[in-house]
Amino acid sequence: MVDDKTIINNVQQICQQLQNNELQTLKLPLHSIGLKSCWNPFCEALRMNTTLISLNLSNNLWPDLSNSDIVFPPSLRELDLSSTGIKGEYLGAIPSLVHLKCLDLSDNLLTSQDMMFLVRWLPSRLETLYLANNLIGKIGIMQLVERYLTMDHQSSLSLSSSPPCRTLRCLDLRGNFGTHHALSALSELVKQQCELTNIFFDHQEQSSSIILSELQYWLDLNRFGRRCMKDYTLLSALWPAIFEKAARSSP
């Protein structure tokens, strides 16, 4: 068992490295931020950092402190908050992560109430979202699907140069009771999000085979490159090759 003094010394060293922008990847040792004397300096060091790309706080229990506000470095691409016990109200720092590609919130006992916060703050360029082994249920999944479909619709109507919200590639919902009741919504999500090629969920024997087949159908299309049909520039570039191959195949 590591004593508190050793933990504090380790965190102090990490904080110094963060402040000096010496780190691009950080996996925090177990039990490093449970102490109030460690948490505040760590938050301040993160606030000052501009180089961190990957941050792993897995298995460090999120401190229940009134001043537990945290600002993640905007440079982050990967953020692992699995098994931290984090709740929805502490996810307010995520919207600032405009470059975030992967977010892991597995094993946190998140509920549909927590999902209300998460769906409000989802980064628009997120590619991988892990929500396994939580308690979000059908309601939480429906909130997530509705948010992505709404983001996609708003993006299609926008005249700005911001990228479309068709970036989600992998969604893990395993270990959430009630997933099989939201299969229709998940199928619609896969249909609309042509980048989504991997979705993991639990389904029971009484799950509709028709809905499962439809979901698998759209997943297969996505994996075979359905997104290319949305890229009109790419299609234009392919036509000469198509015509040339067709000419060669003609008798």
Side-chain angles (χ1 to χ4, degrees):
M1 183 70 178
V2 181
D3 60 274
D4 290 352
K5 183 177 180 179
T6 301
I7 293 176
I8 294 174
N9 288 337
N10 290 340
V11 173
Q12 287 177 344
Q13 182 179 0
I14 291 173
C15 289
Q16 188 63 47
Q17 292 175 313
L18 285 172
Q19 291 174 353
N20 294 337
N21 287 325
E22 298 174 2
L23 299 175
Q24 288 190 324
T25 302
L26 173 60
K27 177 174 174 55
L28 209 62
L30 192 64
H31 307 308
S32 295
I33 57 175
L35 302 174
K36 184 176 181 179
S37 57
C38 293
W39 176 253
N40 292 337
F42 179 70
C43 288
E44 184 60 29
L46 275 182
R47 191 187 307 269
M48 298 173 61
N49 183 271
T50 60
T51 60
L52 203 60
I53 294 177
S54 177
L55 176 60
N56 188 338
L57 302 181
S58 179
N59 292 298
N60 279 277
L61 290 181
W62 202 264
D64 187 16
L65 305 172
S66 58
N67 61 340
S68 58
D69 293 337
I70 187 170
V71 177
F72 296 113
S75 55
L76 276 184
R77 266 57 167 185
E78 300 176 358
L79 178 59
D80 188 343
L81 298 174
S82 61
S83 301
T84 58
I86 193 172
K87 291 302 177 183
E89 60 266 28
Y90 293 131
L91 296 174
I94 291 180
S96 63
L97 303 179
V98 294
H99 300 294
L100 192 67
K101 301 293 186 183
C102 179
L103 176 61
D104 193 342
L105 294 171
S106 304
D107 301 289
N108 280 313
L109 300 180
L110 294 173
T111 66
S112 58
Q113 294 295 319
D114 296 310
M115 288 296 292
M116 293 175 60
F117 292 96
L118 176 61
V119 298
R120 187 188 310 165
W121 293 324
L122 275 174
S124 62
R125 298 185 182 184
L126 196 66
E127 294 182 358
T128 303
L129 178 59
Y130 296 107
L131 289 168
N133 302 318
N134 283 297
L135 302 171
I136 62 177
K138 175 184 177 181
I139 296 177
I141 295 174
M142 297 291 286
Q143 290 171 338
L144 180 66
V145 171
E146 181 180 358
R147 177 55 176 158
Y148 263 105
L149 296 183
T150 302
M151 289 168 66
D152 188 57
H153 178 66
Q154 290 174 344
S155 175
S156 65
L157 296 179
S158 175
L159 297 178
S160 68
S161 58
S162 58
C165 302
R166 294 181 178 272
T167 58
L168 189 65
R169 297 175 183 272
C170 179
L171 176 63
D172 190 352
L173 296 169
R174 287 173 292 191
N176 283 281
F177 179 77
T179 307
H180 61 285
H181 293 301
L183 288 181
S184 294
L186 292 177
S187 180
E188 183 64 23
L189 178 63
V190 175
K191 178 180 178 180
Q192 297 298 328
Q193 295 282 320
C194 55
E195 298 282 351
L196 185 53
T197 55
N198 288 288
I199 182 168
F200 305 100
F201 58 92
D202 300 323
H203 62 86
Q204 300 180 356
E205 291 183 1
Q206 63 266 36
S207 299
S208 172
S209 58
I210 297 178
I211 297 177
L212 283 174
S213 297
E214 180 183 359
L215 195 157
Q216 188 61 53
Y217 169 77
W218 289 111
L219 276 177
D220 290 340
L221 287 182
N222 289 353
R223 289 168 182 161
F224 288 128
R226 185 167 66 101
R227 64 183 180 275
C228 294
M229 300 300 295
K230 304 293 183 180
D231 190 339
Y232 298 107
T233 303
L234 178 60
L235 285 178
S236 298
L238 285 176
W239 277 120
I242 294 175
F243 286 135
E244 181 182 355
K245 186 172 183 179
R248 290 177 179 177
S249 301
S250 300

